[in-house]
Amino acid sequence: QVQLVESGGGLVQPGGSLRLSCAASGFVFVNYAMSWYRQAPGKKRELVAAITETGGSTNYADSVKGRFTISRDNAKNTVHLQMNSLKHEDTAIYYCHLGTVYSIYGYWGQGTQVTVSS
């Protein structure tokens, strides 16, 4: 069965960095675009970043452009989110997602908490 397992969340000070990872299994990873979503308390889940099957194209939410970088390693079935210059407003649960359109296939990771606080 499809599994998406995130890691790398935690507590970081404003201006700091974190790298999230998602280990995927149960499907042919190289055939699917992947994305990261996040959900802050009291807010809707929103798309943060997406990457095509080959990694040749990426897109980002305006709020994270220039600070976050999504990448993938098709040999290891992993997708990463490098987050730099973190801000308080980046605090959220971050979810690895199969595909780009919200819940297109219905598969999500369990989520990893990112807290930006001094």
Side-chain angles (χ1 to χ4, degrees):
Q1 71 278 20
V2 172
Q3 285 195 311
L4 301 170
V5 180
E6 302 101 334
S7 61
L11 173 65
V12 63
Q13 292 186 341
S17 298
L18 281 176
R19 186 176 190 242
L20 305 183
S21 296
C22 173
S25 61
F27 63 102
V28 182
F29 184 73
V30 71
N31 287 353
Y32 292 88
M34 297 293 295
S35 56
W36 287 94
Y37 279 72
R38 69 184 180 186
Q39 188 166 19
K43 295 189 176 181
K44 292 182 179 180
R45 197 170 295 190
E46 64 173 355
L47 178 66
V48 176
I51 188 166
T52 55
E53 294 86 336
T54 63
S57 181
T58 57
N59 68 282
Y60 299 91
D62 287 344
S63 58
V64 307
K65 279 181 182 175
R67 301 187 298 120
F68 289 13
T69 302
I70 188 171
S71 62
R72 65 190 293 163
D73 184 338
N74 285 344
K76 296 182 178 180
N77 287 9
T78 55
V79 59
H80 305 283
L81 186 67
Q82 178 67 42
M83 306 185 294
N84 298 329
S85 303
L86 283 160
K87 305 176 180 180
H88 288 111
E89 50 265 42
D90 294 317
T91 295
I93 299 174
Y94 284 71
Y95 296 92
C96 182
H97 177 254
L98 198 167
T100 53
V101 175
Y102 185 92
S103 210
I104 184 170
Y105 302 111
Y107 293 109
W108 298 85
Q110 81 284 359
T112 186
Q113 177 71 47
V114 172
T115 301
V116 184
S117 175
S118 53

